[in-house]
Amino acid sequence: MNIGIIGLGLIGGSLGLSLQKNGHNVTGFDKNRNHTEKAHEFGLISDFTDKLDDLTDNCDVIIICTPVEHIDHLVNLTLSKTSSDQIIIDCGSTKKDICSNIDSHEFRDRFVAGHPIAGTEFSGPSAALPDLFSGKKMIFCDIEKSNERAKTIALQLFSSLGMQLLYMTSEEHDKHLAYVSHLSHVSSFALSLTALEIEKNDEQILNLSGSGFASTVRLAKSNPDTWTSIFLSNKRNLLIAVEEYQNQLQRIKDALIESSDESLKELITDAGKIRKILK
């Protein structure tokens, strides 16, 4: 199958590697010429093009892996140029705005809204990994709005990568991801900013940091452009999540002010119940 990938960073590059391994021909496109050249040099794609029209002219499937802010424009643009036997899949980290903006398109049924729950804190073609998606989850949203051919091909492609397929509405997706993904990044960014601020007056703070700090702040190394667009796209849900996070921080702060070992122990014990979910 001829597959086109728009956006050749971590997700797009890793998809290129995995899909080629499964016997597909992959043509890449990225507005950043350096990304395109590196992706080809690293073997992430079989070929590349400087023209989006080459993908709609020659590819059976086009997968969009750009930052969220560009996705609905690219989906609209490519859908308008597709034939009935072509499909478009996106891999955006938010879904509600994208799906809402595509719903009125005359060829909406050729589009499949997806989100692979996979990634690292690194970005660009050099961050691509051949097994990034193996054993990870792939969420398909509003799948009933895609035609049977589009659904079948999308499900086959991502299940062939060893992914577990999940289904939900785009609204449910953004609500849940605000807590389990986006808030994690907010927390990591905030912790990093806190440590860097304190470090101005105490150079030993970061020198003494251990594995706990490193693992918690790891996400703060993520791409700023990517996460700015994700946060703004899911602002409504993320604000609710941040407010609840602030509530929990306030509970811990109050317990500290009161020197209440009982309250602190209760909060820590309650927090530990997460191990029943994350086994």
Side-chain angles (χ1 to χ4, degrees):
M1 184 178 292
N2 291 321
I3 298 175
I5 295 179
I6 302 175
L8 300 172
L10 169 65
I11 298 299
S14 298
L15 268 177
L17 279 173
S18 299
L19 292 170
Q20 285 184 93
K21 185 178 178 180
N22 286 355
H24 301 290
N25 182 71
V26 178
T27 301
F29 172 89
D30 196 299
K31 68 176 184 178
N32 184 329
R33 179 69 183 188
N34 183 58
H35 278 195
T36 305
E37 292 174 352
K38 289 294 184 183
H40 194 242
E41 176 187 340
F42 297 155
L44 311 183
I45 50 178
S46 318
D47 199 359
F48 64 89
T49 180
D50 294 322
K51 298 178 181 179
L52 276 175
D53 285 352
D54 288 343
L55 300 186
T56 51
D57 288 345
N58 302 304
C59 294
D60 306 296
V61 178
I62 298 173
I63 306 176
I64 300 175
C65 303
T66 66
V68 168
E69 62 189 293
H70 304 301
I71 291 178
D72 59 353
H73 168 71
L74 287 168
V75 173
N76 271 299
L77 182 64
T78 51
L79 269 182
S80 298
K81 299 179 179 181
T82 57
S83 59
S84 59
D85 60 349
Q86 292 176 297
I87 72 169
I88 308 295
I89 305 170
D90 92 292
C91 290
S93 297
T94 61
K95 296 266 73 83
K96 178 61 178 175
D97 285 352
I98 293 170
C99 290
S100 295
N101 291 333
I102 304 303
D103 278 348
S104 60
H105 198 288
E106 61 177 322
F107 301 138
R108 169 62 179 85
D109 67 332
R110 301 174 189 173
F111 169 64
V112 181
H115 178 199
I117 308 298
T120 70
E121 67 272 30
F122 304 110
S123 60
S126 61
L129 298 169
D131 58 351
L132 180 66
F133 306 102
S134 179
K136 304 295 174 45
K137 296 178 175 64
M138 177 67 179
I139 302 176
F140 289 110
C141 294
D142 303 344
I143 194 71
E144 72 281 355
K145 296 180 180 179
S146 305
N147 64 47
E148 288 303 317
R149 174 180 170 79
K151 285 190 286 189
T152 299
I153 291 176
L155 271 53
Q156 287 177 345
L157 276 179
F158 285 92
S159 62
S160 73
L161 302 182
M163 303 193 77
Q164 177 187 354
L165 309 184
L166 303 175
Y167 308 92
M168 61 183 65
T169 68
S170 54
E171 188 169 351
E172 289 173 329
H173 171 279
D174 285 7
K175 176 183 177 181
H176 298 326
L177 267 293
Y179 287 93
V180 300
S181 174
H182 307 166
L183 184 60
S184 299
H185 282 77
V186 169
S187 178
S188 187
F189 294 141
L191 176 58
S192 177
L193 290 169
T194 301
L196 290 170
E197 184 64 27
I198 296 173
E199 178 75 359
K200 292 177 182 179
N201 300 315
D202 191 341
E203 295 180 359
Q204 293 302 317
I205 293 294
L206 295 184
N207 288 336
L208 295 175
S209 63
S211 59
F213 178 85
S215 61
T216 306
V217 82
R218 174 182 63 85
L219 296 176
K221 294 182 282 184
S222 300
N223 187 296
D225 292 334
T226 298
W227 282 96
T228 296
S229 62
I230 290 172
F231 285 175
L232 292 177
S233 178
N234 200 24
K235 180 175 71 172
R236 181 176 63 85
N237 289 303
L238 186 55
L239 282 172
I240 295 171
V242 168
E243 183 173 355
E244 178 56 33
Y245 187 53
Q246 290 175 317
N247 290 339
Q248 298 303 329
L249 285 175
Q250 187 63 50
R251 293 177 68 195
I252 294 173
K253 181 179 179 181
D254 290 344
L256 287 170
I257 292 173
E258 296 167 5
S259 296
S260 174
D261 59 342
E262 183 178 341
S263 294
L264 282 171
K265 188 178 296 184
E266 182 179 349
L267 288 167
I268 294 169
T269 300
D270 287 346
K273 294 175 182 176
I274 196 72
R275 68 171 63 90
K276 297 178 180 178
I277 301 172
L278 302 177
K279 297 177 180 179

